Amino acid sequence: MPSVGARLRDISRRLADAGVPSPDHDAVALMAYTFGWTTAEVRTAAARDDHWPEDPLDHDLLEARVTRRANREPLQHITGSAPFRHLDLQVGVGVFIPRPETEMIAQVALDLARDAAPSSDGFVHVTDLCAGSGAIGLSIATEMENAHVSLVEASEEANVYLRLNSQMLPPSVRRRVRPMLADARGCLHLFERCAQIVVTNPPYIPPNAVPRDQEVRDYDPPQALYGLGEDGLEVPRAIIDEAARLLEIGGWLVMEHGELQGAQLRAYAESSEFWDDVHTRQDLTGRDRMLVARRVGV
């Protein structure tokens, strides 16, 4: 039998040959998931060149999972989970897999929420539109004790994961989140009070900009990718308008967008009398990543 180190190197090579962008990371993750080890335990066993585990069932499971990943099925679909900030989210077919760059969107919204004055009920009310798995909104609820977060998602398939991830939170957090099945472009009727923060990662890819990554192109749901209209911004513009209705005066909108869409979305928000302090912020790689705007009175 091969050693752990030899087997790990073989899996990494197979994934690299298949074009997987992060073959070493994914090989470790698949082995850890299959054997119930931590990634640190896998790396330690490989460094020591430990003997290969003897259970043939685990060998078959690992081989099947490596084959799925080599066929470019997302790692998160194989393991059933995706890390996001302090959360380990359940994901699968029908829900958008959260990306590391979106963690900065959550951070900006969280910072603005912490600076906001609580409502009369003692909570800062945050609304997460196009919530998907709940990555942004559930992170805010987890990291801010007086945040009350409503999460709006139109897809029934994605709502399965949104509600599952909400239910997995500790009771003290779970009672402060409210998942809802609704279209983010017309959800005002679901709310009894205004929000202080609206945060959203809407679909924004133009119809002719098919993603290069096979995992995104073939597995992420199209309704979570393509923002409609020739420029992909029909949905984001509609959400900007809906956010103006959802927010109280002085509240903030934080919206993720593609790196070349900042100027268009700024221009759209600036054309409305409902917004000021409209600006673009960058992600950790320095790319334009989000629209931030403050709701003003008319």
Side-chain angles (χ1 to χ4, degrees), residues 27-42 53 55 58-59 61-62 65 79:
V28 171
L30 289 170
M31 192 174 287
Y33 177 61
T34 299
F35 296 144
W37 297 348
T38 66
T39 56
E41 287 172 335
V42 172
D55 190 338
D58 285 342
H59 302 168
L61 280 174
L62 180 60
R65 289 163 177 165
T79 64

Side-chain angles (χ1 to χ4, degrees), residues 92-153:
V93 175
V95 69
F96 181 78
I97 297 172
R99 305 297 197 265
E101 55 266 30
T102 303
E103 295 191 10
M104 192 63 187
I105 311 297
Q107 185 64 57
V108 170
L110 182 62
D111 291 342
L112 292 169
R114 286 172 171 160
D115 288 341
S119 294
S120 58
D121 61 1
F123 293 107
V124 173
H125 289 264
V126 178
T127 299
D128 180 1
L129 300 178
C130 303
S133 65
I136 298 174
L138 297 183
S139 290
I140 293 171
T142 300
E143 297 176 45
M144 182 175 170
E145 291 184 354
N146 68 327
H148 185 284
V149 183
S150 299
L151 303 102
V152 179
E153 172 55 50

Side-chain angles (χ1 to χ4, degrees), residues 133-182:
S133 65
I136 298 174
L138 297 183
S139 290
I140 293 171
T142 300
E143 297 176 45
M144 182 175 170
E145 291 184 354
N146 68 327
H148 185 284
V149 183
S150 299
L151 303 102
V152 179
E153 172 55 50
S155 164
E156 292 187 4
E157 290 179 295
N159 251 276
V160 171
Y161 293 97
L162 174 57
R163 294 181 182 278
L164 176 62
N165 288 321
S166 299
Q167 288 298 314
M168 292 178 66
L169 297 173
S172 61
V173 180
R174 191 166 63 237
R175 67 174 63 104
R176 294 186 284 104
V177 302
R178 182 190 176 203
M180 292 181 284
L181 178 65

Side-chain angles (χ1 to χ4, degrees), residues 4-297:
V4 172
R7 190 77 174 96
L8 184 62
R9 289 190 294 273
D10 175 65
I11 294 171
S12 298
R13 178 190 55 76
R14 287 172 59 190
L15 296 181
D17 290 345
V20 172
S22 51
D24 295 340
H25 168 275
D26 290 12
V28 171
L30 289 170
M31 192 174 287
Y33 177 61
T34 299
F35 296 144
W37 297 348
T38 66
T39 56
E41 287 172 335
V42 172
R43 295 185 189 280
T44 299
R48 293 190 307 231
D49 227 19
D50 287 354
H51 291 296
W52 187 246
E54 295 182 358
D55 190 338
L57 179 59
D58 285 342
H59 302 168
D60 292 343
L61 280 174
L62 180 60
E63 178 59 29
R65 289 163 177 165
V66 170
T67 299
R68 290 169 64 186
R69 188 66 188 105
N71 289 332
R72 305 300 294 276
E73 184 175 348
L75 174 68
Q76 297 88 344
H77 282 194
I78 299 169
T79 64
S81 66
F84 188 87
R85 292 178 69 88
H86 303 293
L87 299 176
D88 193 25
L89 297 164
Q90 301 300 298
V91 295
V93 175
V95 69
F96 181 78
I97 297 172
R99 305 297 197 265
E101 55 266 30
T102 303
E103 295 191 10
M104 192 63 187
I105 311 297
Q107 185 64 57
V108 170
L110 182 62
D111 291 342
L112 292 169
R114 286 172 171 160
D115 288 341
S119 294
S120 58
D121 61 1
F123 293 107
V124 173
H125 289 264
V126 178
T127 299
D128 180 1
L129 300 178
C130 303
S133 65
I136 298 174
L138 297 183
S139 290
I140 293 171
T142 300
E143 297 176 45
M144 182 175 170
E145 291 184 354
N146 68 327
H148 185 284
V149 183
S150 299
L151 303 102
V152 179
E153 172 55 50
S155 164
E156 292 187 4
E157 290 179 295
N159 251 276
V160 171
Y161 293 97
L162 174 57
R163 294 181 182 278
L164 176 62
N165 288 321
S166 299
Q167 288 298 314
M168 292 178 66
L169 297 173
S172 61
V173 180
R174 191 166 63 237
R175 67 174 63 104
R176 294 186 284 104
V177 302
R178 182 190 176 203
M180 292 181 284
L181 178 65
D183 190 329
R185 295 169 292 181
C187 58
L188 178 64
H189 64 285
L190 298 173
F191 296 91
E192 297 179 357
R193 66 170 70 237
C194 292
Q196 284 113 318
I197 306 294
V198 169
V199 60
T200 179
N201 179 15
Y204 51 74
I205 297 177
N208 60 347
V210 178
R212 291 188 297 270
D213 290 344
Q214 187 174 340
E215 291 85 347
V216 177
R217 183 179 68 244
D218 294 346
Y219 289 94
D220 274 329
Q223 63 268 33
L225 297 177
Y226 300 102
L228 306 182
E230 292 184 2
D231 57 3
L233 294 177
E234 180 178 314
V235 172
R237 291 189 185 102
I239 290 178
I240 290 173
D241 294 338
E242 187 70 354
R245 294 184 281 268
L246 292 169
L247 283 166
E248 66 178 24
I249 304 304
W252 289 93
L253 166 66
V254 182
M255 171 183 282
E256 180 170 330
H257 58 67
E259 61 182 292
L260 302 178
Q261 296 173 325
Q264 292 169 278
L265 288 175
R266 284 198 311 274
Y268 185 77
E270 288 168 345
S271 70
S272 167
E273 58 188 347
F274 295 112
W275 302 105
D276 77 352
D277 199 0
V278 177
H279 59 282
T280 300
R281 297 195 193 185
Q282 290 70 42
D283 61 19
L284 294 177
T285 68
R287 295 181 174 90
D288 286 352
R289 182 57 63 187
M290 71 194 88
L291 172 76
V292 180
R294 185 168 66 97
R295 175 70 161 86
V296 294

